[in-house]
Structure formats: structure tokens, C-alpha cells
Amino acid sequence: MENRIAASLKILTESDKEACETVRISENEPSVGKKTLFIESYGCQMNFADSEIVASVMRNAGFATTSDAENADLVFLNTCAIRDNAEQRVRTRLKQLNVYKRKRPGMLIGVLGCMAERLKAKLLEEEKMVDIVTGPDAYRDLPRLVEEAETGQKGVNVFLSREETYADISPVRLNSNGITALISIMRGCDNMCSFCVVPYTRGRERSRDPFSIVKEAQELFDQGYKEVTLLGQNVDSYKWNGSPEGGNEAAFTQINFARLLEMVAQISPELRVRFSTSHPKDITDEVLYTIKKYDNICKYIHLPAQHGNNRVLAIMNRTYDREWYLERVDSIRRILGEECGISHDMIAGFCTETEEEHQDSLSLLENVRFDFGYMFSYSERPGTPAAKKFVDDIPADIKQRRLAEIIEIQQRVSAEKNQKLIGTVQRVLAEGFSKRSQDDLSGRSDQNKVVIFPKENFKKGDYVNVLITETTSATLRGKALIEEEVNQY
Ligand code: SAH
Ligand code: SF4
Ligand code: F3S
């Protein structure tokens, strides 16, 4: 039987916030005679990309993926540790899984990812139902750890590597729409933002071989994919020195993020390229000019601000100030035009934040007028510089109120900006049916805005010019235009 790439993955993103959790389940992989694996992913896009590496490693060890957690032989939770509520969700899920495990004692449960790395073997003491604990750099070791666990021994590997990029592992695309895919271009983070646990859970920053990245993107394009998103915690510090495989010393080359973007964009004008995350301190004009040069590099930049006040930015150790951030935004708009989409991350209620300093975050939102934002209240993470140096002294109700004020402004600005798009034509890559109706297709504009339009004779994978007729703060609606009509707008 054809060994089709099909799998299951329940996706809970760190940006989805507690209230709205995205769940995507697709068909099962043919599993006759094989053991079954259920993977559930939490956290950022990098974690979803990692789950695809894990599925590949485990497929080679004889496991087929399933969407049925209750009857799986092996259950992996690929976890996030960024805020306390991300970890609490995992603990609640483990309790549910324990009910299945009591019915089927042979079931093995593994905790992978950032929470596994943060808590290490302690997790085995705290959560007795867990058999395997594996950090983000140890996924090649999973088959051995599973084998050990099958003999009743608990398995832990939380070794963090300085080299591992999984460059040679061909990911099994989980829950894929067949149109958009994630590609990790680097791992880890060398910044020391004082609030952030990522440097401790993901280790040192390292860049993946660019030729393996281009090869993966080319293969995706050959399979019919139309969009790739290049992922790193700080893509602007991507740096690789070497020569292509089999190349001699004369072919030695240095590749930065601008060059990598260009290499991927040159695969085909029909392959859209996105990337995330840009760091305000590192994003260069060279990158912006590369985006400008290629129509297929999306005019959309996620540029986390975190705060609008210089004293708070300094104790967050973001290494830029408000003026620098605003200058970067100005450069984006100068080079790429006003229509380039810009989104942000913002934290409310960081240690010692005063009411006036909070007002500076609000004024930053009013000044920049971002298209979109991911907004959080500060959650102290054990072991981080902020946890060691400062007291988490803003009461929960004040954090919540400040967060609500940030969200309110962002929603209003998003709605206003979207409204301005009424009457414009957006080039949309159709990704599939809209959630509500099989008569509508859903896709994203260049600026990463969700656009819904009547299906007519279009199908997923098509680039469609859509005349925008209605908007909310979250989505745009419109009608597809034919070629001759586009020129009228
Ligand atoms: N590498 C990216 C961010 C990765 S984490 C960057 O540098 O911007 C995603 C977001 O989670 C961060 O941008 C930040 O806004 C938020 N975040 C990280 N740690 C947090 C904490 N302790 N409490 C609340 N939000 C946090
Ligand atoms: Fe965390 Fe800062 Fe690294 Fe982003 S750049 S992952 S916020 S330490
Ligand atoms: Fe969470 Fe780890 Fe990503 S902490 S946000 S899954 S890098």
C-alpha cells in the first residue's frame, strides 16, 4: 500500500491564548501491523515544526501516527514553557491521558519540548504517568528511549546540543493542507531577554545548512506546496559559513538571512516565502531590500516590541529603545511602503512597571498602528534573569487591566486598518475551505490577513485576486476578480 504522509496533530498555539484553541486532526496513517503514535503540540510554530521531525524519526522506528489518543500505543505531548498557563494546560492534559493509561497500562506517555527541558527528570517525580522526558535537541534518541520504556525503565534525555539542526531529517508533514509548510532555519536563542525561558529550554543559537533549507523548500514546491515559512527565534541573526555539500574550499561562502531569503525566493515566483521572528535590534535594511526585490516574499513582518518604555525595555534586556524600534518601523514603511503588514508582541505588567510606563506601551500602539498583535500579561519563569533579579510585583488584577487596555487599542486599530482595505484588491493564496462554509475559500493576503471569498471555480493552492468588500478586526471578506477586472482597481 502507498505509504502516504498523513498524520494527526492537535495544535494549541501559544499565541492562541487560553480561550481559543485551534484543533486540527487529519486522517490516520495506514497502521496495519505497526504501533501507533499520537502527537499533540503546544507552543510556537517551531514546536509544530519539531513535531514533524519527531513523526519522521518515529516512523523510521515503525510507528504510524493516529488521531486517536485513547487507543494509541505511544502518546507524545510536545510542550511549551513560555508562560505558566502553557505548562498548566499540559498538566491538565496529562491527567486526562492517565485515565486512558489506567485502562490500557501498556500505553506509554512522553513529554517532549520546552517544558520537558525546563523540568527534566523532576517531571517524572511530579507526574507519575510520564514514561519519557525528551528535550528539543534529543529527538534522534526517541526510539531508544521508547524501547527502554517498553521494558519498564523510564527514559530521560534533555541534553542540549550546540550543533543539532536536524538538517538531514525529512519532516513528516502533519495535518498539512498541502499548500503551506514550516521550515526551521535555526534553533535556540543567544539573546537574554530577562523574562524569557527560551534560551534555557532551546539552548544556544545555531543556523542550519542553507543548502538543506533550499532543498527542503524545493521538494515542497515540487509536491505542490505554495508557501513556506522560515522559522527561527531571531531570523535576522541567521549566519552560516561553509561550502555546499561536496564543494571544495573555493566554494566557501558566507550566508546571512538576506541571502538565504533570496535563495529560497528564487526557487519559483509561484512559491511564497514568509519568515518569523524578526528581532528589532537585528533586522537590517538589506533584508528589507531583499523583501522589496522579490514579489513572492510576503510584505509582512512580525516585529515583537514587548514594551513602549525605555526603562522597561532596558530591564527586559531587549537591547533597543523605543526610538530605535520606531526607526526600524519607519525604515520598513520607507522601503516597503505603508502597505507592508507589521505585527507585534507586547507584555503587560512586567516587574516594577508603573502606570506611566504602561501608558508608553499604549502610545506605541497608537503611534505605530500595527496590523495585528499577540499580547500577554507577564508570567514569571523560574530561573530566568528577571526571576532572579526582580520581584514579580504587579498584582494580577492590574496586569489584567493593563493587558485589556493594550488589547482594546490593538483591536480598534486592526479594525480601522482592515476597514481601509475595503475597495482594494488583495492577492490571496487559497489554503482551503473557510471554517464556516464549504462554499467559501479561506486564505491569506500578502500582509498575512485572513481573507474569505466565495469559492466559485477556485480551489486551494490558487492565487486569487480578491476585491475586499467587508471587514472585521480579524478577517477580510470579498469576491474574486478575473484578470480584466483587476486592472480597473
Ligand atoms: N523570539 C521571539 C519571541 C519568542 S516567545 C522574540 O524575540 O520576539 C513569544 C512571545 O512570548 C514573546 O515575544 C513575548 O512577548 C512572550 N513572552 C515570552 N516570555 C514571556 C513571559 N515570561 N511572560 C509573558 N509573555 C512572555
Ligand atoms: Fe526569548 Fe528574547 Fe530569544 Fe525571543 S529573542 S526567544 S524573547 S530570549
Ligand atoms: Fe514555547 Fe518553547 Fe516555543 S517555550 S514558545 S515552545 S520555543
Side-chain angles (χ1 to χ4, degrees):
M1 192 198 277
E2 183 201 0
N3 195 10
R4 256 180 328 132
I5 296 174
S8 78
L9 178 70
K10 186 172 169 192
I11 293 174
L12 307 175
T13 73
E14 56 96 8
S15 49
D16 278 329
K17 315 254 175 60
E18 299 93 289
C20 75
E21 294 176 347
T22 318
V23 179
R24 281 193 251 152
I25 308 243
S26 72
E27 334 97 275
N28 302 330
E29 207 172 12
S31 64
V32 186
K34 289 185 187 165
K35 288 181 269 188
T36 53
L37 162 66
F38 175 88
I39 310 181
E40 190 163 276
S41 295
Y42 298 73
C44 63
Q45 287 179 311
M46 305 208 65
N47 240 23
F48 300 170
D50 278 2
S51 290
E52 301 187 332
I53 303 273
V54 169
S56 177
V57 169
M58 294 312 296
R59 176 193 278 186
N60 290 339
F63 282 81
T65 44
T66 172
S67 57
D68 179 6
E70 200 167 347
N71 292 304
D73 298 304
L74 181 58
V75 173
F76 282 160
L77 301 186
N78 192 3
T79 61
C80 173
I82 200 85
R83 283 170 289 277
D84 184 57
N85 58 32
E87 294 197 1
Q88 292 316 322
R89 246 182 283 160
V90 170
R91 292 194 189 268
T92 307
R93 184 63 169 139
L94 282 171
K95 294 204 170 55
Q96 283 168 0
L97 292 172
N98 203 27
V99 176
Y100 303 153
K101 191 171 165 140
R102 274 202 228 110
K103 281 193 224 147
R104 297 177 53 246
M107 174 191 267
L108 294 177
I109 299 179
V111 177
L112 278 45
C114 292
M115 186 178 168
E117 188 64 50
R118 192 178 84 73
L119 292 168
K120 305 186 169 58
K122 220 164 34 167
L123 201 53
L124 294 177
E125 287 160 34
E126 290 173 6
E127 306 287 353
K128 299 279 182 244
M129 72 295 268
V130 175
D131 303 288
I132 298 157
V133 174
T134 312
D137 285 346
Y139 296 147
R140 288 180 201 267
D141 197 26
L142 277 170
R144 184 188 68 81
L145 294 168
V146 170
E147 240 174 63
E148 258 181 31
E150 282 169 344
T151 67
Q153 262 176 291
K154 302 228 171 194
V156 182
N157 187 345
V158 287
F159 174 74
L160 282 175
S161 157
R162 276 173 176 259
E163 286 93 34
E164 182 63 271
T165 59
Y166 301 114
D168 58 314
I169 295 185
S170 189
V172 170
R173 303 288 161 191
L174 295 170
N175 286 289
S176 173
N177 55 14
I179 305 299
T180 59
L182 306 172
I183 301 182
S184 283
I185 62 164
M186 54 208 293
R187 300 184 70 82
C189 183
D190 279 355
N191 294 309
M192 276 288 162
C193 303
S194 61
F195 50 80
C196 184
V197 78
V198 171
Y200 307 92
T201 62
R202 296 244 157 199
R204 299 305 298 268
E205 181 185 287
R206 65 221 95 120
S207 297
R208 175 178 166 190
D209 178 336
F211 303 99
S212 77
I213 296 169
V214 172
K215 183 164 165 269
E216 187 174 330
Q218 178 73 57
E219 282 167 6
L220 285 162
F221 184 65
D222 294 343
Q223 289 161 24
Y225 283 80
K226 293 285 180 64
E227 181 183 296
V228 292
T229 303
L230 308 180
L231 297 177
Q233 292 298 351
N234 176 5
V235 290
D236 304 286
S237 66
Y238 178 89
K239 197 167 83 213
W240 188 85
N241 300 319
S243 35
E245 211 180 311
N248 57 22
E249 240 169 72
F252 187 85
T253 172
Q254 290 190 331
I255 290 173
N256 64 7
F257 182 58
R259 179 70 194 117
L260 176 72
L261 254 187
E262 179 154 54
M263 285 160 69
V264 178
Q266 282 171 344
I267 289 173
S268 165
E270 288 292 295
L271 181 69
R272 261 186 177 183
V273 187
R274 295 187 185 276
F275 56 88
S276 187
T277 301
S278 302
H279 196 300
K281 80 176 161 65
D282 291 320
I283 187 167
T284 59
D285 285 359
E286 189 192 3
V287 166
L288 301 178
Y289 283 113
T290 306
I291 300 171
K292 184 183 167 83
K293 187 169 160 197
Y294 291 91
D295 276 348
N296 56 327
I297 303 180
C298 290
K299 310 287 172 287
Y300 165 68
I301 296 175
H302 181 55
L303 195 69
Q306 314 298 3
H307 211 275
N309 173 273
N310 284 343
R311 188 192 70 89
V312 180
L313 283 170
I315 60 171
M316 284 179 160
N317 197 27
R318 286 292 284 181
T319 71
Y320 55 83
D321 59 14
R322 180 185 176 103
E323 292 68 33
W324 174 277
Y325 186 88
L326 288 171
E327 188 285 322
R328 290 290 75 204
V329 170
D330 283 348
S331 293
I332 293 170
R333 293 192 168 144
R334 174 173 47 82
I335 295 168
L336 295 169
E338 285 293 322
E339 66 279 9
C340 178
I342 307 181
S343 60
H344 68 91
D345 289 351
M346 199 69 97
I347 298 179
F350 187 60
C351 316
T352 71
E353 180 193 64
T354 65
E355 209 52 47
E356 292 70 39
E357 288 165 342
H358 163 63
Q359 291 295 325
D360 286 342
S361 286
L362 301 185
S363 75
L364 188 82
L365 299 179
E366 296 281 13
N367 278 0
V368 175
R369 294 182 61 78
F370 294 97
D371 294 86
F372 192 75
Y374 299 96
M375 298 152 287
F376 314 100
S377 63
Y378 173 59
S379 165
E380 184 179 80
R381 308 312 292 131
T384 54
K388 288 184 193 151
K389 269 193 280 181
F390 310 119
V391 179
D392 180 14
D393 58 351
I394 308 298
D397 56 337
I398 295 185
K399 278 186 191 167
Q400 281 317 311
R401 195 254 303 150
R402 290 181 185 170
L403 176 63
E405 287 172 2
I406 289 175
I407 292 174
E408 194 186 323
I409 293 181
Q410 186 52 55
Q411 282 186 339
R412 173 176 50 76
V413 172
S414 294
E416 286 167 4
K417 291 200 82 169
N418 286 352
Q419 181 126 44
K420 282 217 164 130
L421 295 174
I422 293 178
T424 65
V425 178
Q426 302 291 322
R427 190 164 187 255
V428 177
L429 172 61
E431 293 175 20
F433 290 118
S434 90
K435 277 188 212 135
R436 297 229 177 106
S437 162
Q438 300 263 318
D439 295 330
D440 291 335
L441 286 174
S442 167
R444 274 170 305 145
S445 69
D446 212 12
Q447 289 73 24
N448 208 30
K449 304 208 175 186
V450 174
V451 183
I452 316 268
F453 57 97
K455 179 176 166 297
E456 299 175 79
N457 292 325
F458 297 101
K459 57 182 187 319
K460 72 174 183 177
D462 287 347
Y463 288 102
V464 186
N465 289 306
V466 179
L467 174 65
I468 304 304
T469 54
E470 279 172 65
T471 63
T472 67
S473 66
T475 45
L476 313 178
R477 270 190 164 273
K479 188 182 174 326
L481 297 181
I482 53 170
E483 203 69 35
E484 298 83 77
E485 290 172 318
V486 176
N487 300 329
Q488 297 169 16
Y489 291 91

